[in-house]
Amino acid sequence: MMRVVVIGAGPAGMAAAHAAAGAGVPVLLIDSEAKLGGQYHRQSATDGTEKFALPDGVEYWAESVVWAIEPIAGGHRVHVSTGPADGPGRVSRSVNTAALVLATGAHDRALPFPGWDLPGVVTAGAAQALAKGQGVAIGQRVLLSGTGPFLLPVAASLVDVGARVEAVLEANTVLTGWLRPGEESATTEPRRGGRHTARALAERDTTSRQPGKLADWSRQLSGAVTSPGKAAELAGYLGLLARQRIPYRSRQAVIAAHGDDRVEAATVAKLDVNWRVVPGSQRDVEVDAVCVGFGFTPQLELATAVGCAVADGFVTVDISQATSVAGVFAAGELTGIGGAVLSEHEGTVAGTAAAIALGARVKRPSKALRHIRTGRRFAAAMAAAYPVRSGWQSWLSDDTLVCRCEEVSCRELRSAVDEHRADGVRAVKLVSRAGLGRCQGRICGRNVAELAGLPEPGSAFARRPIAVPIRLAELAEADSPQAKPAELADSPETDSREGTA
Ligand SMILES: Cc1cc2nc3c(=O)[nH]c(=O)nc-3n(C[C@H](O)[C@H](O)[C@H](O)COP(=O)(O)OP(=O)(O)OC[C@H]3O[C@@H](n4cnc5c(N)ncnc54)[C@H](O)[C@@H]3O)c2cc1C
């Protein structure tokens, strides 16, 4: 029987694999990490344990990166490279399928500011991955700056590994994304007089830096949060901030980092509603690490290569998580940022639908469908409450690097765009080199698109036939006669070993 191929073993991909296997269809689950779990359930890479079990019928390829997908008659051919990234002896394989589930998740967004290219300035996700995966603290004195509730678990992970978190700086107003959808958002005028308005919370936040006040917020918010699970999670984080005496400051951000060989201090400033610096509010704080996280960017490369329709930067799906391409389903943060639980339910629906596409007869996953409806409302509230506002562009000086891989400064980007009247992502890349380096625009793409005033969204940087960096030898193998695409029903998998060059 043909297999469902699931790419990504985070909450969405694991749930998809469980659902398809539960429907009696064999599954191949592929992930670039050494262990199951994705971002939310990231496991220690060093302790030799495995938290998750996969059901019978699921084959798992760990440390396997999908670098391309191409259409073949009746389905798709998935090209995979297995082995430590950039290590010797990687194995190249490809597999054909008529039912593909994309669950590649997202990565966190960094905004540039003077000094963001200094060692010691990292994304909040990278700091968390280091803490959770390796048990290592990114620094001893750390500032967290960005927007959204994701800053809270990162603070918790840093505390767990012994770092001192100097402050959590939220560029929007405090914690409003945890409120019920439609209750309040930073984009709407807060309801006056209500106990849970964004303004009331912001006022409490900026007028007091006493950790004790966090407990007040926690009490106020507990009735307003969408689900009991979220309330408990939020209360847990607020308790931790209070116990550790970590200030949580809204409408503030790190706007510059300083140091010779690595970050030694950061300039923190108050922001107005559009994130422009409030004059005279800047102050320097001594730190040895700065972690920045301004929301998430979905990993769209594979979905874009397959030809899935994308709207507002996310893959569009129907009620069964089917994309615009026949036989291709998408789940999790690829389709919208809504947290691990929503991702899991979407994975269940996608896996079930993929199994049905291969002929399985199963019941409609009603519970998951119900949870998706509420989860998406919560996701919409989060997106409205934690936007990235354009004032961040005023933090940059002419010399600030915008693209770190190709070392393109703000001045160089703007003058290349003006001089050549570049009005699209491809043109901007060619005239400025921004987005042409190793990260291929994953880090800088959205920022470059906004700074250059492009009509195309930053997600257009994800358009490329090869999704991740691979060696020329791997590319050559994929084109060898042994690896030529078979018809879908024939020889679904090819296998060849790469040289160690
Ligand atoms: C760095 C980071 C840390 C986060 N930490 C938290 C947290 O602490 N708490 C919280 O509530 N939310 C957190 N989130 C949000 C969280 O990602 C989601 O809520 C949830 O994990 C999304 O599930 P997912 O299955 O869609 O994607 P993910 O969990 O991101 O899983 C996607 C998987 O796909 C794999 N993958 C991607 N591309 C390829 C490819 N080409 N080939 C093979 N495998 C591939 C990745 O290795 C990854 O394992 C974090 C997000 C990020 C980016």
Side-chain angles (χ1 to χ4, degrees), residues 7-14 30-33 35-42 64-68 80 103-108 123-126 128-129 132 150 153-154 157 230 233 237 295-297 299 301-302 331-341 343-344 346 467-468:
I7 306 171
M14 284 198 295
I30 305 170
D31 195 283
S32 50
E33 295 289 326
K35 286 187 173 178
L36 295 162
Q39 300 292 1
Y40 182 73
H41 298 299
R42 181 176 287 278
S64 297
V65 66
V66 175
W67 55 268
V80 188
T104 50
H107 52 82
D108 50 351
T123 64
Q128 192 196 42
K132 274 183 169 178
F150 172 53
V154 177
S157 301
K230 289 275 170 221
E233 195 182 337
Y237 293 135
F296 296 100
T297 303
Q299 307 228 59
E301 288 85 357
L302 294 176
E333 310 266 79
L334 200 53
T335 68
I337 305 300
V341 174
S343 296
E344 201 175 310
E346 288 186 353
V468 295

Side-chain angles (χ1 to χ4, degrees), residues 120-122 138-144 262-263 287-291:
V121 181
V122 298
I138 188 71
Q140 290 310 305
R141 302 185 63 187
V142 186
L143 265 175
L144 262 171
R262 57 167 297 120
V263 62
V287 286
D288 58 4
V290 174
C291 306

